[in-house]
Amino acid sequence: MSVPASHLLPTTDGLEAITLKLPSYSFLIQHSSGRALLFDLGLRKDYWKHTGIPTRAPPGWQIDVDKNVSDILEENSVPLVDIEAVIWSHHHADHVGDVTMFPPSTKVIVGPKFKEHYVSPSLERTPDLNLLAENMKGGRELVEVSFDDAEKGLKVGPSRAYDYFGDGSFYLLDSPGHTYTHMAALARVTTSPEDASRNSFILMAGDTCHFPGQLRPTVNRSIPKECPTVQSLCPGVLLQRLLERSESGPLFGVDEKNVVDFIQAQKSVQRLQSFDSMDNVWVIVAHEQALLDNIEFFPANLNDWKEKGYSDKVRWGFLKALEK
């Protein structure tokens, strides 16, 4: 997707001439037992058929989808029947994809009280209710995660968590604010029984924030003074803002027009910043443009991200997206 920056970020001088490229990532999680999950499905190829989506993109938007995630899996010899579940970080069109391409045995996993917030019988018939009816055809199971009951209040770092496989390899993280039931996910991709500090993780942030400039910089993750992108690309007014905030807080705050709960959204971003300050956790925002030119995509895997230096390559790449 290509979207005017002002549609996603708080009103700020300097954004008027900037358009953001917004890829929409889907992650295949393969457990050592052979069980497989998908975290988010991106946009469906026929996205205009998604209930509640206008037949035309909003003014200034451009949307291009060549394939469904299901197409990509099949082209790479991953049987769809092997996918145990699709996890929706939340119910928006650029994350739910087209679950109907998967067999009914593939469950859909959603955040806590999803039905209460979006498909309660007491609500009028809404696009969200229609979305659920369409995707649950054939007896597909909808599973709501409950963080209240997850192992008597399990927490990973600052976040309430659900240990999906029960072995500490993959957690769903409570991350509300953008929507009421929004979730992120944390996967352990390397492990060292001798030295836990050598474990490495990937955190799939979904839409906890839409743009890495809402996450960085922070006190614990300040922008390097030698970063070449800053002086060469940033429009002057944004550059000044960045320099003023380089050691105190992110370049942009949470945008009130894109959240259902502003306070919860702020808290979720703050928790994400705690993970982002750790050198063995790579935080990936769902629409992060900088990944496109800096990492290998499926069928390559990301388990060796630390060895390849992927996080260092992309961490400040959002600055380039602010070029006029």
Side-chain angles (χ1 to χ4, degrees):
M1 301 176 289
S2 296
V3 179
S6 58
H7 290 196
L8 290 180
L9 299 173
T11 302
T12 305
D13 290 341
L15 285 183
E16 299 83 1
I18 296 173
T19 297
L20 299 177
K21 283 186 179 179
L22 300 180
S24 194
Y25 298 121
S26 174
F27 297 85
L28 173 64
I29 294 96
Q30 294 176 303
H31 189 259
S32 57
S33 65
R35 296 165 68 185
L37 309 170
L38 287 164
F39 183 81
D40 279 343
L41 286 182
L43 273 162
R44 59 191 287 172
K45 187 164 49 179
D46 53 353
Y47 65 88
W48 56 88
K49 292 184 179 179
H50 184 286
T51 309
I53 296 297
T55 54
R56 293 183 180 180
W61 288 51
Q62 181 178 338
I63 301 176
D64 297 295
V65 189
D66 293 329
K67 298 176 181 179
N68 288 325
V69 168
S70 54
D71 299 328
I72 298 170
L73 292 173
E74 290 184 316
E75 289 171 2
N76 288 275
S77 302
V78 178
L80 301 187
V81 70
D82 288 354
I83 304 300
E84 173 180 318
V86 170
I87 301 162
W88 286 347
S89 63
H90 61 299
H91 65 284
H92 290 162
D94 52 331
H95 294 263
V96 302
D98 189 355
V99 176
T100 65
M101 296 292 100
F102 293 82
S105 58
T106 300
K107 297 178 288 188
V108 171
I109 298 175
V110 293
K113 300 182 180 179
F114 181 90
K115 292 180 183 177
E116 177 183 322
H117 283 291
Y118 297 111
V119 294
S120 168
S122 63
L123 300 175
E124 295 181 8
R125 192 163 186 83
T126 65
D128 301 317
L129 183 62
N130 294 333
L131 165 71
L132 194 65
E134 176 190 349
N135 283 280
M136 296 303 119
K137 287 178 180 176
R140 190 184 312 280
E141 185 181 0
L142 181 75
V143 179
E144 290 186 353
V145 171
S146 173
F147 294 104
D148 293 330
D149 300 329
E151 299 184 20
K152 298 181 179 179
L154 173 67
K155 294 188 77 172
V156 175
S159 296
R160 297 198 303 168
Y162 179 82
D163 186 349
Y164 186 88
F165 294 111
D167 60 2
S169 64
F170 181 72
Y171 298 97
L172 296 175
L173 304 178
D174 193 20
S175 186
H178 175 54
T179 65
Y180 294 111
T181 66
H182 188 279
M183 297 188 295
L186 181 71
R188 188 182 70 218
V189 294
T190 62
T191 184
S192 172
E194 297 80 20
D195 183 2
S197 67
R198 294 173 60 188
N199 294 347
S200 63
F201 302 82
I202 290 176
L203 196 155
M204 295 148 268
D207 279 354
T208 305
C209 58
H210 285 98
F211 185 65
Q214 295 172 294
L215 178 66
R216 308 177 185 114
T218 61
V219 172
N220 295 317
R221 184 67 77 184
S222 58
I223 187 166
K225 290 182 172 59
E226 66 276 11
C227 183
T229 311
V230 177
Q231 300 287 343
S232 61
L233 295 178
C234 280
V237 66
L238 289 177
L239 172 60
Q240 182 61 35
R241 182 180 177 87
L242 177 64
L243 294 177
E244 290 171 354
R245 303 187 63 148
S246 62
E247 294 182 356
S248 60
L251 178 56
F252 300 100
V254 172
D255 182 26
E256 293 192 57
K257 63 179 175 286
N258 286 312
V259 300
V260 297
D261 189 320
F262 182 68
I263 300 300
Q264 286 295 334
Q266 287 182 310
K267 290 180 178 179
S268 290
V269 170
Q270 290 167 0
R271 289 191 291 270
L272 193 62
Q273 288 169 334
S274 296
F275 287 105
D276 194 51
S277 69
M278 303 175 189
D279 289 333
N280 65 338
V281 179
W282 179 19
V283 173
I284 301 178
V285 176
H287 303 297
E288 195 165 348
Q289 178 181 339
L291 273 64
L292 294 178
D293 300 321
N294 287 291
I295 74 167
E296 296 178 273
F297 286 86
F298 187 78
N301 70 65
L302 296 180
N303 291 5
D304 56 354
W305 67 266
K306 205 168 189 300
E307 181 181 322
K308 291 182 176 178
Y310 280 164
S311 62
D312 293 330
K313 288 181 181 178
V314 306
R315 181 172 292 121
W316 303 107
F318 70 86
L319 295 171
K320 188 173 182 180
L322 299 177
E323 182 181 14
K324 285 191 179 180

